[in-house]
Amino acid sequence: MDIKLEFLMGADAIVSSLSVKAGDQVKAGDELLQYEASKGILPILAPADGIVEEVLVDQGDRIVLNDVLVRMDTDTVCKEEEAGNRSTPVKKCREEKTDLLIIGAGPGGYEAAIYAAQNGLKVILAEAKTVGGTCLNEGCIPTKALNKGARTYQDILKAAKMGIEVPHPQINMPRLIEWKDEVKETLVSGILGLLKNHSVKLLTGTARFLSGNEVIVEQEEGQVHVSAANIIIATGSKSAGLRIPGVQLPQVMDSREALSLKKLPSSITIIGGGVIGMEFAFIYHSLGVSVQVIEYLEGILPMVDKDIPGRLGFIAERKGILIQTGARVSRIENGLNQEAVVIYEKDGKEAFAVSEKVLMAVGRVPDYETLNIEAANIETRRDRRGIQVDGHMQTNRPGIYAIGDVNNILQLAHAASHQGMAAVRHILKMDGGEKQDIVPNVIFTMPEIASVGKTEMDCQKDGISYEVYKFPFSGNGKALIMGDTDGFVKLVKDRVTDEIIGGSIIGPDASTLINSITELVQFHIRQRDASEVIFPHPTTGEAISESILGLGVGALHSVNKKEEHIIHAVD
C-alpha cells in the first residue's frame, strides 16, 4: 500500500520528522511521519495494521500533493498462530516463499546459493552472523593471514643469509590483526556483492524449523516466515572444548579469541595436536612465542599418512616446540604470578605445563542444536555427531539437505562447497552424487602438509597390493633456493591397475602441489601415463615428477632407493 500526501493547503510542505523505518510493524493510527505546511505541523498516520516496507522521504525533504511517502505491507501482519502440532505458538511477520532456502552462509551455503541462482532457482540465504561463516571470519582465512605474517617475519630474520640485512625487525601485533581483518572484510564485501548480483535474498537472523518446509528466521526487526520447496542446512560447526575445571579462567582462549589477540604472550600451552592446534603452534612459535602442545592421543595429526606426523613432530621439536602426546589434561589452575598451569596425566604420572596463555584446540562439533530439527523429523547420525545424509547430501526428509561440517563427513570448507553443489544438482534432478574419497586436505603448518586419496594404511585395510615412493625435497633445486628442504612427496600406486591412488606431501608449496596429485587420482591416471607429463624446471613440482618416476624405472635424483621405495603385495 502506498501512503500518499492526500491533504495539503499550499503549494508544498516539508517533512519535519520521521517516526518509522523500513521493517517496523505499525498499527492503524500509528504516526508514520510529520510534515510542516501553512496550517502548522501535521501527522501522517497508518491507515491499517502492517509492516513498513520503505520510507521514500527524509527529514527536510519538500513534498507536494499525491507524493508517495511510505510503502506498507498491510497483508502480512505479525499475529499469534495456533500451535497445532507445534510445541509453542508462532508469531508470523513477513511471509516469504522460495524454491530453495539455505541456512548458513559459510563457503558451503553461499556457494550453493550462487550455484542454485545460476541454475534458475529462487534462493533465500539465512545467516545468523556474517556471510563467510566460521571459515572466513574465524577460521581458514584469518589463520592463513596470521600464517603469512609469521612466515614473512621468519623470512626477514633469515634474509641476512642471502645478503639482505634488515636491522631489528619487530612485530606490530595490533597492525597484523588489523591487516588480517582487512583481508577478511574485503572477502566478506565480495561475497555480499556476488549474492546481490545473483539476486540471492539474504536474511540476517537465526533460523529454526516449524515443519518440513517451513522455517522462521528471527531478525532484529522481526520474524520472517519462509516456506521453501527445498532446504539446505549449512550451519557448520563450533568449538568442542573440554569439560574440565579451569576452562573459564581468563588465560584460557579458543581459536576465535586467539585470532584477535593484539598482545603476544611470552608463552602458550595448546591443548590439542590436531589441525587447529598444530597450525597455531607454528604461527605462535614463528612470532617468537614459547609453545608447548599437549595431545590426548599417542600422536599428532592422526588423520594423515603415518609418515607425516613423525616428520612434522621432528621438525617442530627441532624448532623448539615441545609436544606431549598420550597426555590427558585434567584441570587448569592459576599460578603464583597469574600464569596458567595446565595439569595433565602421562604414563600414569601427573605433570604440568606453565604458560601465560592457554589455547583450547580440541576439535569442532556439528552445530545444529538451535535449528529445532525435531519439528521437521530430521534424523541425526547414530553417534549424534552430525545430521545423517545420503550420497546426494539429502536427509531422511525428501527436499531437506545437510552439507559441510553439520553432517560431519569431512570438516573441510571446500568439501562443504562441493557438497552444496551436489545437493543443488539433486534438487535440479541432474545426474551424479558426491565423491567423498577424493577430496584433498591441506594443513598450514610450517612446512605445509597436504594429502588426497588413499594412504598406506587404507591400502592395507582394503587389501590392495600397492607401491609407495617418497622423494625428499632435499633433492629439489627450487626447495634449496627457497631454503625449505624439509619434507617429501609420497605417492601410492595400485600394483594391479598401475593407477596412482593417493599422495601426501609435507614441504614447500604443498597446498598448491596437491592439486596436481588430486587430478592424477581423480581421473585414474596410470603411472606410465603420468610419467610422460612434463614438469617445468626449476619448480617444487619436479618432486612430484620424481615420485612418479620412482614408482616406475626409478627417480632421476634418488639418493636412497631402498628407503624411498616400498612394495606391498597382497597374496
Side-chain angles (χ1 to χ4, degrees):
M1 173 184 286
D2 288 347
I3 314 300
K4 299 180 180 180
L5 181 60
E6 296 180 342
F7 175 80
L8 178 63
M9 295 291 290
D12 60 8
I14 295 174
V15 177
S16 57
S17 65
L18 299 174
S19 305
V20 295
K21 64 182 183 303
D24 285 352
Q25 180 181 331
V26 296
K27 295 185 178 299
D30 285 354
E31 183 180 281
L32 302 177
L33 57 85
Q34 293 183 348
Y35 68 96
E36 185 175 354
S38 58
K39 293 293 186 179
I41 297 177
L42 300 172
I44 297 290
L45 305 179
D49 293 357
I51 298 171
V52 177
E53 292 185 319
E54 190 176 6
V55 179
L56 300 171
V57 293
D58 289 322
Q59 186 174 345
D61 284 356
R62 289 192 175 277
I63 53 177
V64 298
L65 196 64
N66 290 321
D67 274 354
V68 179
L69 309 176
V70 176
R71 287 200 172 97
M72 285 181 54
D73 174 9
T74 56
D75 296 324
T76 303
V77 181
C78 283
K79 62 190 177 197
E80 292 291 340
E81 285 195 330
E82 293 299 322
N85 61 353
R86 302 171 188 139
S87 58
T88 56
V90 178
K91 183 180 284 186
K92 290 173 61 176
C93 286
R94 200 167 85 237
E95 293 271 9
E96 294 280 2
K97 290 186 178 180
T98 188
D99 299 325
L100 174 61
L101 167 66
I102 300 175
I103 305 172
Y110 87 76
E111 291 191 14
I114 293 171
Y115 185 64
Q118 287 174 331
N119 281 279
L121 295 180
K122 181 182 178 183
V123 184
I124 292 176
L125 179 62
E127 169 56 49
K129 297 177 182 178
T130 307
V131 296
T134 298
C135 177
L136 174 49
N137 295 283
E138 300 172 1
C140 320
I141 297 299
T143 53
K144 279 33 165 201
L146 293 187
N147 180 290
K148 173 62 177 176
R151 283 179 176 272
T152 301
Y153 178 64
Q154 285 297 312
D155 287 343
I156 292 171
L157 293 178
K158 298 173 184 175
K161 190 174 181 179
M162 294 181 284
I164 302 169
E165 298 181 1
V166 182
H168 312 300
Q170 294 184 359
I171 300 166
N172 184 337
M173 201 62 189
R175 177 57 192 141
L176 178 55
I177 296 297
E178 184 180 352
W179 172 75
K180 177 264 297 180
D181 289 338
E182 289 170 1
V183 172
K184 177 186 71 176
E185 289 160 10
T186 298
L187 292 172
V188 167
S189 177
I191 293 170
L192 291 171
L194 289 170
L195 294 173
K196 182 177 180 181
N197 290 342
H198 289 87
S199 300
V200 174
K201 181 172 286 189
L202 178 64
L203 301 178
T204 303
T206 56
R208 71 177 188 278
F209 279 90
L210 298 178
S211 67
N213 66 341
E214 296 176 289
V215 171
I216 283 288
V217 180
E218 295 275 1
Q219 297 189 291
E220 285 187 6
E221 59 269 25
Q223 295 177 330
V224 182
H225 179 271
V226 183
S227 299
N230 299 279
I231 298 171
I232 295 177
I233 302 169
T235 47
S237 60
K238 58 186 178 181
S239 295
L242 283 178
R243 295 181 180 178
I244 57 173
V247 292
Q248 302 302 323
L249 290 174
Q251 304 97 317
V252 182
M253 57 185 180
D254 60 17
S255 58
R256 178 183 55 82
E257 295 169 290
L259 289 168
S260 298
L261 199 63
K262 294 185 177 180
K263 182 181 181 299
L264 278 175
S266 59
S267 56
I268 188 167
T269 300
I270 298 175
I271 301 176
V275 174
I276 297 170
M278 294 311 300
E279 286 190 354
F280 270 107
F282 280 90
I283 288 171
Y284 278 120
H285 174 267
S286 297
L287 292 173
V289 179
S290 176
V291 178
Q292 47 191 329
V293 177
I294 301 175
E295 167 58 43
Y296 174 73
L297 298 177
E298 292 302 322
I300 58 173
L301 301 177
M303 73 296 296
V304 297
D305 183 278
K306 64 183 181 66
D307 289 339
I308 301 291
R311 179 61 65 92
L312 186 71
F314 171 77
I315 294 169
E317 296 197 3
R318 188 184 66 198
K319 290 174 180 286
I321 299 172
L322 302 179
I323 300 176
Q324 295 286 350
T325 57
R328 186 179 69 85
V329 175
S330 57
R331 63 190 186 278
I332 305 171
E333 298 178 352
N334 273 317
L336 295 176
N337 298 312
Q338 292 306 302
E339 68 271 71
V341 181
V342 178
I343 293 93
Y344 61 93
E345 296 174 8
K346 181 177 171 66
D347 299 328
K349 299 178 181 179
E350 192 170 81
F352 61 90
V354 180
S355 58
E356 186 179 337
K357 287 284 186 181
V358 174
L359 172 62
M360 298 291 291
V362 292
R364 300 183 65 82
V365 293
D367 187 6
Y368 59 86
E369 286 82 359
T370 62
L371 287 177
N372 191 32
I373 62 173
E374 295 80 9
N377 295 316
I378 298 169
E379 293 179 357
T380 58
R381 290 162 50 144
R382 290 182 180 178
D383 58 8
R384 298 285 299 172
R385 295 183 179 179
I387 294 175
Q388 183 68 43
V389 295
D390 62 16
H392 301 285
M393 302 299 116
Q394 188 169 222
T395 68
N396 62 296
R397 289 296 305 270
I400 302 179
Y401 301 77
I403 65 170
D405 288 10
V406 76
N407 67 33
N408 209 21
I409 295 173
L410 284 171
Q411 291 192 355
L412 297 169
H414 48 284
S417 299
H418 203 64
Q419 290 173 11
M421 289 189 284
V424 171
R425 284 193 292 271
H426 191 252
I427 290 167
L428 294 167
K429 295 181 170 53
M430 297 179 181
D431 292 333
E434 176 65 3
K435 295 181 179 178
Q436 296 294 341
D437 58 339
I438 309 173
V439 181
N441 183 24
V442 179
I443 304 171
F444 288 85
T445 45
M446 301 178 196
E448 295 176 346
I449 294 168
S451 60
V452 69
K454 292 188 179 296
T455 65
E456 281 194 75
M457 298 87 80
D458 294 330
C459 291
Q460 292 167 10
K461 182 180 68 176
D462 297 339
I464 298 172
S465 291
Y466 68 90
E467 287 186 40
V468 164
Y469 190 86
K470 291 191 297 182
F471 184 81
F473 279 106
S474 57
N476 180 265
K478 183 62 182 297
L480 183 61
I481 293 168
M482 297 167 69
D484 198 356
T485 57
D486 277 323
F488 52 80
V489 172
K490 178 178 181 178
L491 296 182
V492 183
K493 181 183 80 169
D494 186 317
R495 296 188 71 229
V496 176
T497 65
D498 194 44
E499 292 176 3
I500 294 173
I501 57 175
S504 300
I505 307 171
I506 176 171
D509 297 335
S511 58
T512 302
L513 297 178
I514 198 63
N515 295 321
S516 296
I517 300 177
T518 300
E519 290 181 347
L520 297 177
V521 177
Q522 176 79 43
F523 297 109
H524 307 284
I525 305 299
R526 296 178 302 174
Q527 182 275 332
R528 67 175 71 95
D529 296 323
S531 65
E532 296 179 8
V533 176
I534 299 173
F535 286 76
H537 173 78
T539 64
T540 49
E542 290 175 285
I544 296 176
S545 179
E546 292 278 11
S547 292
I548 293 170
L549 290 172
L551 289 170
V553 297
L556 301 179
H557 296 86
S558 172
V559 177
N560 190 341
K561 291 185 180 181
K562 194 174 213 182
E563 179 185 338
E564 295 159 356
H565 193 190
I566 298 171
I567 299 175
H568 180 87
V570 175
D571 295 331

